[in-house]
Amino acid sequence: MSLSRAPKVLGSLIGFVGLSAVAGLLVGLVFVPSLAVAGEGVVTGVDTFNSLPSYLQIEQPAQASAVYAKQGGKDVKIASFYVQNRTDVASNQIAEVVKQSTIDTEDPRFYKEGAIDVQGTIRGALATGLGHNVQGGSSITQQYVKNVLVQRCAQQGSSQGTTKEALAAADKCYSQVTATTPARKLREMRYAIGIEKRYSKDDILRGYLNIVGFGGTVYGVQAASEYYFGVPARSLSIVQAATLTAIINNPANLRIDRPTNADNGAKNHYALTLTRRNYVLKRMAVAKDITERQYLHYASLPIQPKITPQSNGCSAAVAYDAAYFCSYVQQSVLTDPAFGSTSQARVQKLTEGGLKIYTTLNLDLQRTSQAALSAYMPTTVPGLSLGAANVAVEPGTGRIVTMVQNTTFDETSTAAAGATSVNYNTDHAYGNSQGFQTGSSFKPFTLAAWLEAGHTLNETVSTTQHKLPFSEFTDTCSGLGNDVWDVSNADPAPASMSVMAATAESVNTAFADMGTKLDLCGIADSAFGMGIHPAEGTKATNFHIVPSMILGTNYISPLTMATAYAGIANHGVVCTPIAIDRIIGAGGKAIAPTKTSCTQGMPSDVAAGLAYALQPVLKAGGTGALANPGDGIPTLAKTGTTDAAVQNWLVTSTTKIAQATWVGNVQGSAGFYRTYVNGVYGYNLKFLMDKTILQALDQAYGGDPFPLPPASMIGAVKPKPVKTVPGGAGVPTTGPGTTVGGTGTGPGNGNGNGNGNNKGGAPAKP
């Protein structure tokens, strides 16, 4: 031996003696001071070891969060969110064969000795002391400690964000807790002793099986069982349990979800894992947990994974037609302070907090609504960019029970035609939609301002004026300028008519005349009181208070419209929409999401007046008669159509359920008076969809009669005038290529509401 090597060997022997002595000391085998390695040097042993921290805070490891919806009255998981696919389970939810195979292989003396595997530690100390890397020999308790420390690094890293500094700190933390040094081993041993003073062996084994990695983003025995074999941990067979125990040894190389892997894939029957699995089975036979005959039989069986991917995010909800609703739930959590004071904290809570999120979604009604909508609006229409969406909300609770649209959910940047992540039903903040012009479905808010100002439903208004100077309007919010508003009707109208009749027939010029008798700011306030707001931006910047707003020129989401109509049906009390009923945290403790907020948006008698005026819309002669579900349940409703029927709406509510349907252009300006989709007249699409949807909602919810408004609000009924006048600019004549009842071919008003209320007559033959 050269002199240059002698000091190194001597140092190694001293280190070996120190480690061996400390290991013996920890289990009561040695009671005298000796040398021990602490930090990176050699110091006096027992006192130094005892001075190491022994208390290790066991924090909840990162767990997948799950989103649930109701189907047939039962909770069904529709999506998961995670950075580590892990679901903690109780000990009685883990098959005994998993516990046996893990103990037999990883720590046969687990139940017979303390926190430290003495024999393994001595073996590891010998190898380390002779100059090799730190060897195995860790007890299950020590392995649990190491996994807890690694998990702590990961969670600290995610809580600090993705900055360069945060990532560097996480890497440093990981390097420290996984370093192959005697110092790290001693710290683990000291922590392990502290752990066993506070937890039972069963608790430690359960904790270990819930935290340990199984390859990729799969952590914990429950997620591993579901992923690799499609069964819960309690249902694992002996062979499956042995396979998972084998993977623990080297998850990166022994995972069985890469069939094309040359070293460990389907072609060689997962040779590396098979060898380790059979070793596990042999250890079980040695421990008498299986017989020798069973060992020989099980060892002869091939590895047969049944990979069951656990989708991360809302893509899994596509199978339930619920991906867009799931996306809304996700955004609700990420913007709700109940889940953290910062956006990073909320992301961490969703992806690591093990939340069980029970939503308001009714999958049975969702399926019906999706089928009804998709039957008339496919994902794509050649040459056009069309869309359709429907959402239903409960009055009085704000609970969203359905949310569907015609496209396929796709969050990738390479989404094909007919696929998108944009949620047409929601505001921009919750789904990147800018909303759509609402047409005459906005008229109820003008009617509300009309009634609040002391006017009546049977008061007569003029329909003859088609050019209205801005000077005829009052706007106490801001100046209007000197423009002229051009207004036209889809159908001929009498020279004057009651407001009640004008509402049922949706006569634009009648509502324009009403607007001249009101403050435009008052109309806007009536809408704002019921929760109306622009889908993107603020009311101050993106809600335009101009005369044409009376006919729905602002861009609003279907969810907002359904919520407002639900408020009308709820005696004027509007409740903010919610998608989450309750949340259970990983520890079983309830977490309260932000609840619905209900406010009196309009006087109850005004709401009763609106309900009274809007019920004829679905009846014979009303603009929405084609959508009448025929079940006799009282329903308030309003249709909405913009210039040339570019955007089309039907919004309804009973006392129990409200819904909004939009059909129109996502991009472009194809007029639905001249558009057919799969042979169906475009203007009628919303009615045909809604008839089925309304029937299903009414069957599920029913409905009560609306209260009558005060007689003074209805007013005296006057005889109907018989004289009619032309519909004004934009009223078509019957002829080739036109449609009786309006084509929108006449000049518009420059603001999205020319012939905005066609009742959908049958197309004339060419």
Side-chain angles (χ1 to χ4, degrees):
M1 177 186 299
S2 67
L3 291 176
S4 63
R5 290 194 59 200
K8 295 180 181 179
V9 173
L10 179 60
S12 297
L13 288 173
I14 292 173
F16 159 64
V17 172
L19 277 172
S20 300
V22 171
L25 172 66
L26 295 178
V27 293
L29 299 179
V30 176
F31 298 96
V32 295
S34 58
L35 295 177
V37 178
E40 300 302 326
V42 180
V43 297
T44 303
V46 176
D47 291 340
T48 299
F49 181 81
N50 287 335
S51 69
L52 291 173
S54 63
Y55 181 78
L56 177 62
Q57 178 66 41
I58 304 297
E59 298 175 352
Q60 186 68 49
Q63 294 190 62
S65 292
V67 179
Y68 296 87
K70 288 288 187 185
Q71 186 174 58
K74 297 180 179 179
D75 293 313
V76 175
K77 185 168 76 170
I78 62 172
S80 298
F81 295 90
Y82 58 83
V83 290
Q84 294 180 351
N85 182 17
R86 175 192 286 111
T87 302
D88 267 14
V89 289
S91 183
N92 62 8
Q93 294 177 290
I94 303 173
E96 286 300 315
V97 289
V98 183
K99 302 172 188 176
Q100 292 166 352
S101 63
T102 301
I103 292 171
D104 294 344
T105 307
E106 298 294 319
D107 188 2
R109 294 170 292 278
F110 177 66
Y111 279 109
K112 298 177 182 178
E113 60 186 7
I116 310 303
D117 179 358
V118 180
Q119 295 181 30
T121 299
I122 293 174
R123 183 181 66 250
L126 177 60
T128 302
L130 293 176
H132 304 300
N133 288 335
V134 173
Q135 298 295 302
S138 296
S139 66
I140 284 177
T141 306
Q142 289 172 267
Q143 292 183 55
Y144 179 44
V145 166
K146 180 178 179 180
N147 277 276
V148 168
L149 293 173
V150 169
Q151 182 67 207
R152 177 186 289 177
C153 292
Q155 289 180 292
Q156 287 176 349
S158 64
S159 67
Q160 294 170 5
T162 57
T163 64
K164 184 182 296 185
E165 293 77 11
L167 294 175
D171 287 342
K172 181 179 179 181
C173 178
Y174 180 80
S175 297
Q176 289 175 341
V177 301
T178 60
T180 54
T181 64
R184 189 266 296 174
K185 200 75 170 179
L186 276 176
R187 282 192 294 270
E188 283 181 8
M189 292 162 64
R190 182 65 169 148
Y191 278 137
I193 292 172
I195 289 292
E196 289 223 350
K197 288 180 179 179
R198 291 184 291 122
Y199 298 98
S200 70
K201 288 284 191 178
D202 288 343
D203 287 339
I204 292 169
L205 179 60
R206 170 189 170 275
Y208 174 68
L209 289 173
N210 274 322
I211 199 172
V212 70
F214 287 88
T217 60
V218 180
Y219 289 82
V221 67
Q222 176 74 1
S225 302
E226 293 175 340
Y227 176 65
Y228 286 117
F229 298 112
V231 299
R234 66 175 179 272
S235 302
L236 287 167
S237 68
I238 290 177
V239 172
Q240 291 169 338
T243 303
L244 293 184
T245 300
I247 293 174
I248 290 175
N249 180 255
N250 191 337
N253 293 330
L254 299 181
R255 55 194 291 187
I256 53 173
D257 60 345
R258 297 180 295 187
T260 60
N261 185 279
D263 297 324
N264 191 53
K267 282 188 176 181
N268 65 8
H269 308 290
Y270 301 97
L272 298 179
T273 309
L274 184 66
T275 299
R276 181 67 183 180
R277 185 207 67 181
N278 289 347
Y279 170 77
V280 173
L281 290 169
K282 185 64 177 178
R283 300 309 304 166
M284 294 180 74
V286 170
K288 308 297 184 185
D289 284 324
I290 60 174
T291 66
E292 186 68 20
R293 185 173 182 178
Q294 285 177 310
Y295 159 68
L296 293 173
H297 169 66
Y298 293 139
S300 69
L301 299 178
I303 288 178
Q304 295 179 312
K306 182 183 177 182
I307 303 302
T308 309
Q310 301 295 309
S311 297
N312 190 5
C314 289
S315 58
V318 170
Y320 299 93
D321 298 319
Y324 291 103
F325 176 82
C326 171
S327 177
Y328 182 81
V329 170
Q330 179 184 9
Q331 293 306 313
S332 296
V333 171
L334 296 181
T335 56
D336 190 342
F339 300 97
S341 58
T342 66
S343 59
Q344 182 63 34
R346 293 189 287 271
V347 169
Q348 186 177 8
K349 192 71 172 180
L350 178 62
T351 58
E352 301 181 26
L355 305 177
K356 292 183 178 179
I357 303 171
Y358 296 94
T359 71
T360 59
L361 187 67
N362 183 319
L363 288 173
D364 300 310
L365 291 173
Q366 178 84 352
R367 182 175 61 251
T368 299
S369 296
Q370 184 67 65
L373 186 143
S374 297
Y376 293 101
M377 180 61 75
T379 56
T380 60
V381 177
L384 300 174
S385 179
L386 305 182
N390 173 270
V391 62
V393 179
E394 290 179 356
T397 68
R399 297 178 71 252
I400 303 168
V401 296
T402 65
M403 181 181 285
V404 299
Q405 66 186 60
N406 68 304
T407 54
T408 301
F409 184 78
D410 190 334
E411 293 181 291
T412 68
S413 59
T414 57
T420 182
S421 63
V422 176
N423 190 337
Y424 299 153
N425 275 301
T426 65
D427 290 344
H428 188 272
Y430 291 87
N432 293 315
S433 173
Q434 66 175 4
F436 307 96
Q437 288 186 317
T438 59
S440 293
S441 61
F442 187 82
K443 284 177 179 174
F445 307 109
T446 298
L447 181 58
W450 176 263
L451 296 177
E452 284 197 66
H455 297 284
T456 68
L457 293 174
N458 280 317
E459 188 171 332
T460 300
V461 291
S462 171
T463 68
T464 59
Q465 190 172 1
H466 296 279
K467 293 184 180 293
L468 291 89
F470 279 17
S471 59
E472 294 189 16
F473 293 90
T474 299
D475 181 0
T476 58
C477 299
S478 59
L480 287 175
N482 298 314
D483 289 342
V484 175
W485 181 27
D486 291 328
V487 185
S488 60
N489 296 318
D491 294 318
S496 63
M497 62 195 311
S498 72
V499 169
M500 184 77 180
T503 301
E505 298 177 32
S506 201
V507 179
N508 292 342
T509 52
F511 271 80
D513 187 52
M514 291 164 63
T516 64
K517 298 174 172 62
L518 300 170
D519 183 351
L520 294 180
C521 288
I523 296 174
D525 287 341
S526 292
F528 295 160
M530 299 306 291
I532 293 294
H533 58 271
E536 184 177 9
T538 66
K539 288 183 285 190
T541 60
N542 284 40
F543 192 93
H544 303 293
I545 302 177
V546 292
S548 62
M549 81 170 180
I550 293 170
L551 302 185
T553 55
N554 284 293
Y555 289 77
I556 300 170
S557 74
L559 178 57
T560 297
M561 293 297 288
T563 300
Y565 275 54
I568 296 171
N570 189 40
H571 314 291
V573 177
V574 62
C575 300
T576 54
I578 58 170
I580 300 171
D581 278 334
R582 61 190 178 95
I583 296 179
I584 304 299
K589 184 178 180 181
I591 299 174
T594 297
K595 297 180 180 179
T596 186
S597 175
C598 297
T599 56
Q600 190 75 49
M602 64 174 58
S604 59
D605 59 344
V606 171
L610 291 186
Y612 183 81
L614 295 174
Q615 287 180 73
V617 171
L618 288 188
K619 297 178 180 178
T623 57
L626 281 177
N628 192 315
D631 51 28
I633 293 177
T635 305
L636 62 86
K638 189 68 191 76
T639 55
T641 314
T642 62
D643 269 351
V646 170
Q647 310 295 359
N648 303 265
W649 292 74
L650 177 59
V651 191
T652 71
S653 186
T654 67
T655 58
K656 302 296 185 182
I657 192 71
Q659 66 85 43
T661 297
W662 160 81
V663 178
N665 287 258
V666 178
Q667 295 179 337
S669 56
F672 274 65
Y673 293 142
R674 291 184 174 274
T675 298
Y676 287 78
V677 178
N678 290 340
V680 179
Y681 180 42
Y683 179 80
N684 287 342
L685 291 174
K686 60 182 178 291
F687 301 130
L688 299 174
M689 295 172 186
D690 255 6
K691 185 169 186 175
T692 300
I693 292 171
L694 292 175
Q695 287 172 339
L697 291 173
D698 286 352
Q699 185 176 5
Y701 280 90
D704 301 318
F706 292 102
L708 289 173
S712 59
M713 187 173 285
I714 298 174
V717 179
K718 296 183 179 181
K720 292 183 179 180
V722 295
K723 181 181 178 181
T724 62
V725 297
V731 177
T733 57
T734 304
T738 67
T739 301
V740 176
T743 64
T745 55
N749 55 19
N751 52 40
N753 277 280
N755 305 329
N757 291 279
N758 181 298
K759 291 191 289 185
K765 295 180 181 180

